[in-house]
Amino acid sequence: MSLMFAERMKNLGTETSFEVLARAKALEKQGKDIVHLEIGEPDFDTPGNIKEATVKALYSGYTHYVASAGIPELREAIAEYISKTRKIKADLEEVVVTPGAKPIMFFCMLACVNPRDEVLYPNPGFPVYESLINFVGAKPVPIPLREENDFRLDPEYVKEKITKKTKLIILNSPENPTGGVLTREDLKDLADCLADREDLIVLSDEVYSRIIYEGQHESITSLPEMKEKTLLLDGFSKTYAMTGWRLGYGVMRKDLAQKISQLMINSNSCTCAFIQIAGIEALKGPQTEPEKMVAEFKKRREIIVTGLNKIKGITCKKPRGAFYVFPNVKGTGMKSKELADHLLNRAGVAVLSGTAFGEYGEGYLRVSFANSVENIQKALNRIAVAIEKR
Ligand SMILES: Cc1ncc(COP(=O)(O)O)c(C=O)c1O
């Protein structure tokens, strides 16, 4: 007998990177050598001081339920960190800790967005945004990110698309998949469009805030009047190479924080207690390891951008943040998905089609440089040959 799934499941999307990883692993099982450039996580180990603090926490009783919004010491450390880095005054009651940053997106949609509301989101962009917008029955309104504009959104376009029905605007800077970074001017222009809207919220996804190569990270929450309207999402996965630990958080107005905590009570109860101690060590301990990681990414960025630009049919802009490049592959004459499949099957290089991030990703690939220089070089050579010999 086949199970009848709930109607809403028809609207839920997925993340293609997990699917491509599975295909790449299957090819490896057949004995093929694959270079993994589809990955969305740092290829570095979590710093030792964080691991040590966690082991200590395990042996000192952090093995039970804790407060659903997070243990006060971590919420306090996050409030201090956000106050300092975003130049706002955040306090503990405005922080909710979650298992990874992703639940903040989900909870934000559940808490704030009604069916038929409109949600603006970057496209190409993190695929979970569109998936969740559809899941809650809202209308997805894509904001195209264009290469000519360094993959930064155009505030004028956003202004045109805001209607009475707009409930949520999603921002992501530095951006996955393009590496685009919003400037303070962009954010000011956006904030101006929202000046007379008290009924609208901005979900500002800043998980790559520390992986930035030029200038500094800017957050919309630090602009006048914007803190009240912003749900800032950040976490530990990318900054501290802690993707498997599942630790993230949101910083938001208190009434919204209470709703998000209630969703935590109804889903996870709380975030793992000893992992939260790891979070305190990450924020308060030495920052040399994450800084070294960014320096290494910067070196690789040069190599991958230079290498891709030498390949016929490909041009590649230098991303200002995150650890992805988003090369234009229109000159190869192939569709993005066709090229990504060709590279995996023929060249043993796993990359993602730009369309895995929305329709405006056609003509591009997402290539991660969270891999060694040696593997990046190997991949570049293979891509060049695979495109030439096609
Ligand atoms: C833009 C963006 N936001 C959020 C996340 C999820 O972060 P976490 O692993 O902490 O849930 C990712 C992960 O790839 C991401 O790229």
Side-chain angles (χ1 to χ4, degrees):
M1 194 180 81
S2 69
L3 186 61
M4 292 294 285
F5 294 109
E7 276 296 306
R8 72 176 73 86
M9 287 307 292
K10 287 190 190 140
N11 299 327
L12 196 63
T14 189
E15 256 191 88
T16 315
S17 56
F18 289 108
E19 186 206 305
V20 172
L21 180 66
R23 278 169 55 209
K25 292 271 176 211
L27 287 170
E28 276 171 337
K29 231 175 164 184
Q30 294 167 16
K32 302 238 164 69
D33 177 52
I34 307 289
V35 185
H36 290 274
L37 302 186
E38 80 280 36
I39 31 184
E41 62 176 350
D43 56 317
F44 294 84
D45 198 3
T46 305
N49 62 310
I50 298 176
K51 289 187 190 169
E52 278 157 27
T54 315
V55 173
K56 259 196 217 147
L58 260 171
Y59 284 98
S60 35
Y62 284 95
T63 49
H64 293 272
Y65 290 135
V66 286
S68 56
I71 58 174
E73 296 86 338
L74 177 59
R75 291 171 81 197
E76 185 67 55
I78 292 168
E80 261 173 45
Y81 169 73
I82 292 298
S83 299
K84 196 170 127 203
T85 52
R86 281 27 174 227
K87 299 174 193 76
I88 54 169
K89 175 78 200 79
D91 79 40
L92 173 155
E93 286 170 58
E94 295 168 320
V95 176
V96 183
V97 178
T98 46
K102 243 183 195 174
I104 293 289
M105 281 172 212
F106 203 12
F107 296 161
C108 170
M109 299 279 179
L110 291 177
C112 301
V113 182
N114 277 315
R116 290 175 293 284
D117 283 347
E118 294 177 3
V119 180
L120 273 64
Y121 68 105
N123 187 326
F126 191 49
V128 172
Y129 305 144
E130 192 179 302
S131 162
L132 293 179
I133 298 166
N134 286 322
F135 190 61
V136 298
K139 182 180 167 199
V141 181
I143 310 169
L145 303 184
R146 302 192 191 283
E147 186 182 359
E148 308 84 83
N149 199 29
D150 292 330
F151 298 112
R152 288 156 36 226
L153 53 75
D154 172 5
E156 279 306 310
Y157 183 90
V158 176
K159 200 170 173 179
E160 274 169 31
K161 292 289 167 186
I162 295 177
T163 71
K164 278 198 287 251
K165 288 189 183 162
T166 308
K167 188 63 198 286
L168 177 71
I169 300 180
I170 303 177
L171 304 180
N172 176 213
S173 177
E175 214 241 357
N176 176 10
T178 63
V181 171
L182 295 173
T183 64
R184 197 163 177 83
E185 281 309 309
D186 296 333
L187 296 172
K188 268 190 193 154
D189 290 348
L190 272 172
D192 285 347
C193 317
L194 309 178
D196 57 347
R197 290 293 295 261
E198 300 303 323
D199 55 334
L200 187 153
I201 181 140
V202 175
L203 173 65
S204 183
D205 182 340
E206 303 180 20
V207 286
Y208 295 99
S209 60
R210 294 271 293 274
I211 305 177
I212 195 146
Y213 307 109
E214 276 101 30
Q216 59 176 40
H217 172 67
E218 299 287 354
S219 172
I220 196 158
T221 197
S222 59
L223 295 174
E225 316 287 320
M226 283 309 296
K227 190 186 155 207
E228 277 290 287
K229 293 180 196 167
T230 305
L231 196 176
L232 185 157
L233 172 157
D234 202 343
F236 297 81
S237 297
K238 317 284 174 177
T239 306
Y240 298 100
M242 289 174 71
T243 47
W245 295 62
R246 310 311 300 137
L247 188 63
Y249 55 86
V251 182
M252 67 211 87
R253 47 194 280 173
K254 285 179 197 158
D255 55 353
L256 178 54
Q258 279 161 8
K259 299 289 178 213
I260 304 281
S261 303
Q262 206 179 341
L263 285 161
M264 272 297 287
I265 293 174
N266 279 275
S267 52
N268 298 281
S269 292
C270 63
T271 303
C272 173
F274 55 86
I275 301 287
Q276 295 195 52
I277 301 298
I280 300 173
E281 175 61 25
L283 290 175
K284 298 202 159 181
Q287 302 298 307
T288 35
E289 292 296 315
E291 280 161 15
K292 266 200 241 159
M293 188 171 84
V294 174
E296 177 62 27
F297 282 145
K298 193 170 180 182
K299 203 170 85 190
R300 296 176 189 173
R301 178 183 71 149
E302 295 302 321
I303 294 167
I304 200 157
V305 169
T306 311
L308 284 169
N309 276 315
K310 283 188 187 147
I311 299 174
K312 209 165 148 243
I314 298 185
T315 59
C316 183
K317 281 213 164 167
K318 213 187 255 189
R320 277 188 57 212
F323 38 72
Y324 313 108
V325 283
F326 204 62
N328 181 327
V329 294
K330 291 171 192 166
T332 63
M334 289 172 96
K335 290 276 190 199
S336 298
K337 170 88 172 64
E338 189 193 353
L339 179 58
D341 287 345
H342 177 71
L343 293 178
L344 178 61
N345 298 327
R346 295 297 152 104
V349 179
V351 297
L352 299 182
S353 163
T355 50
F357 301 88
E359 75 251 48
Y360 293 97
E362 183 54 81
Y364 300 86
L365 294 178
R366 190 194 78 170
V367 187
S368 164
F369 47 95
N371 206 329
S372 65
V373 169
E374 192 191 345
N375 282 334
I376 290 171
Q377 302 275 23
K378 186 158 79 166
L380 287 168
N381 293 339
R382 288 184 183 185
I383 295 171
V385 173
I387 289 181
E388 229 149 76
K389 282 212 181 136
R390 186 170 60 90

